[in-house]
Amino acid sequence: MRRRRSASIAIAVLLFTGVGAAPPASERAHAAPASNTAQCKLPAATDDLGSGFPVDDQALPAVGKLKSAVLFVDFEDHPATRGSLLKAESNLRSDVEYLENVSGGKLDVEVTSSDRWVRMPKPSTSYPFERGLSYEDHVRYIEDAIEAADADFDFSDTDVVWVVATEQAKNITYSPTTNHLDVTVDENNITHAITFGYDQWRWGGLVLAHESGHSLGLPDLYLFEAPADDPGNWHAAVGGWDLMGLISGQAPEYLAWHRWQLGWLDDKQVACASLDSTTTIVPVEKSTTGTRSGDAMVVLPVSGTKAVVVENRQAIGYDREILTSGALVYTVDTSVRTGHGPIRVVDATPESAHRLDDAPFQPGTSWTEPSTGAVLSFEEAHAGSLRVTVELAA
């Protein structure tokens, strides 16, 4: 797919920790980029899916070949309709393309699918998705699907099983992931599985990419509990700025931070903010695709588990429908668990009716990081670029 390109955002990061005047602009323009990336690679501080390094050991490798077994299943009370297998295959294909595109080819997804609908041994109503699914019931559902397909399917080289329910089974409501499966079939111990319910037909193919993010170690960025002062807004942390948040959001590119976690961004593409540094960052969509030219983000550590990140979001690629382009600022806290806001977008327009859809900062605005007092000021540079100055408040 051919994609429209846009200008990059140039970010000048100046963090002053001592007394003295800032150097003139002519000197700042030639400042050496930050190099101590290690201090920005925040360590994992939870024992679950999280935002630190390395990803939790329950995760599958995100670089190299990922071998998936796809089982299309139907039920005696909800048999699949004629021709529906093609629709199911097409839905998944867009997800696989997303993962390979966003990873810049570093993840190679090899899919082996059942060539027919596999009939489950029990009616769909025997799997209590509507009533809240326990881990035991989820495992039973996966085991039943594997057993039903085993006579005609070779699982000996499978990394992850994807069980896709027919669209007719609306009571198989949603699409959970388990990284703790323990099923041995064809002498292969399978530990990861994703089951796809009716929500995949409502939200489209990106459901698989979201759930695969969990298989690879990424946390949920939507909130398990909405804020007390904003009931019902489970997307108050990141809105639609990452696929691990709102799947149907306007900007389903993975955040640059997530790409770094998964090894899709190289360390050399990360500018760890230091004194007097100037960095030009490319749009996130370009950071892991094409020629991989330029840095992808600026990271400003503020504690042992927390950092401020600035990245460039432009209306290209999977972000082509965003409401506002610009410098997206967010905090990463590796001590916060999945579903509780490990990443939070800083809203440049908190009074807007668009919530976080217009969160990126524009020229002439600034934001103060509360724990350090560092002020990030955003100014227009040239040709669509943006200069961000980070300094201690006077």
Side-chain angles (χ1 to χ4, degrees):
M1 178 170 60
R2 183 170 293 175
R3 295 176 181 170
R4 178 170 55 86
R5 299 297 183 184
S6 70
S8 62
I9 289 181
I11 292 189
V13 181
L14 308 175
L15 175 61
F16 297 99
T17 56
V19 179
S26 60
E27 293 180 22
R28 295 200 299 269
H30 299 286
S35 59
N36 188 16
T37 306
Q39 73 181 58
C40 286
K41 193 173 283 188
L42 302 180
T46 68
D47 57 357
D48 197 356
L49 302 176
S51 296
F53 290 82
V55 294
D56 196 78
D57 57 10
Q58 65 178 277
L60 289 169
V63 175
K65 189 176 292 294
L66 178 69
K67 297 183 178 181
S68 167
V70 182
L71 309 180
F72 298 104
V73 301
D74 69 354
F75 311 84
E76 62 181 28
D77 57 335
H78 289 297
T81 58
R82 183 179 179 85
S84 60
L85 189 62
L86 290 176
K87 180 180 179 181
E89 290 174 336
S90 177
N91 208 35
L92 286 186
R93 191 177 303 116
S94 65
D95 277 4
V96 171
E97 290 174 353
Y98 173 95
L99 291 170
E100 294 185 335
N101 287 340
V102 171
S103 72
K106 285 195 172 184
L107 181 64
D108 178 14
V109 184
E110 182 178 286
V111 176
T112 304
S113 306
S114 57
D115 57 5
R116 61 180 176 83
W117 288 101
V118 176
R119 178 57 52 87
M120 292 288 279
K122 299 174 184 176
S124 64
T125 51
S126 70
Y127 305 103
F129 280 77
E130 286 188 313
R131 297 183 294 276
L133 189 67
S134 69
Y135 171 76
E136 290 75 19
D137 283 329
H138 192 213
V139 169
R140 177 168 60 89
Y141 178 70
I142 297 165
E143 289 177 336
D144 283 356
I146 292 174
E147 184 175 354
D150 188 27
D152 302 313
F153 206 100
D154 182 7
F155 293 94
S156 61
D157 202 24
T158 296
D159 297 315
V160 58
V161 173
W162 296 342
V163 182
V164 183
T166 174
E167 187 175 4
Q168 277 60 53
K170 295 183 179 180
N171 57 300
I172 308 296
T173 52
Y174 70 110
S175 304
T177 299
T178 177
N179 293 352
H180 302 284
L181 192 66
D182 185 12
V183 174
T184 299
V185 56
D186 294 333
E187 300 184 346
N188 179 28
N189 182 243
I190 299 174
T191 56
H192 291 71
I194 304 171
T195 62
F196 298 95
Y198 191 70
D199 60 348
Q200 70 170 311
W201 308 106
R202 184 174 74 251
W203 285 341
L206 290 179
V207 172
L208 184 150
H210 171 97
E211 296 302 328
S212 293
H214 293 319
S215 293
L216 302 177
L218 299 183
D220 277 316
L221 298 188
Y222 65 86
L223 300 174
F224 293 169
E225 295 184 10
D229 60 352
D230 195 6
N233 186 10
W234 290 277
H235 299 285
V238 299
W241 288 103
D242 186 274
L243 188 61
M244 301 312 295
L246 180 59
I247 296 175
S248 58
Q250 56 156 6
E253 293 277 356
Y254 276 146
L255 292 169
W257 183 271
H258 278 166
R259 296 171 195 240
W260 192 27
Q261 274 190 282
L262 297 180
W264 299 345
L265 279 178
D266 301 326
D267 287 357
K268 64 183 180 182
Q269 293 178 273
V270 178
C272 194
S274 64
L275 293 175
D276 194 12
S277 58
T278 301
T279 307
T280 300
I281 57 175
V282 298
V284 164
E285 186 274 344
K286 290 180 61 178
S287 66
T288 53
T289 58
T291 59
R292 291 175 172 265
S293 58
D295 293 315
M297 61 178 169
V298 172
V299 181
L300 174 68
V302 296
S303 77
T305 63
K306 189 174 181 180
V308 174
V309 179
V310 184
E311 66 182 50
N312 181 359
R313 302 300 284 262
Q314 298 292 324
I316 57 176
Y318 294 103
D319 275 358
R320 58 188 173 271
E321 295 185 3
I322 60 176
L323 180 64
T324 304
S325 299
L328 187 71
V329 179
Y330 54 91
T331 60
V332 178
D333 191 337
T334 63
S335 68
V336 177
R337 302 179 70 86
T338 178
H340 294 275
I343 295 178
R344 291 184 178 270
V345 167
V346 178
D347 193 356
T349 58
E351 304 303 320
S352 167
H354 298 292
R355 290 185 167 174
L356 292 176
D357 285 352
D358 55 356
F361 284 85
Q362 303 302 302
T365 61
S366 64
W367 174 72
T368 301
E369 198 286 311
S371 65
T372 62
V375 179
L376 285 73
S377 300
F378 304 83
E379 304 214 1
E380 187 173 4
H382 63 278
S385 64
L386 184 70
R387 178 163 293 141
V388 180
T389 302
V390 182
E391 57 188 343
L392 292 181

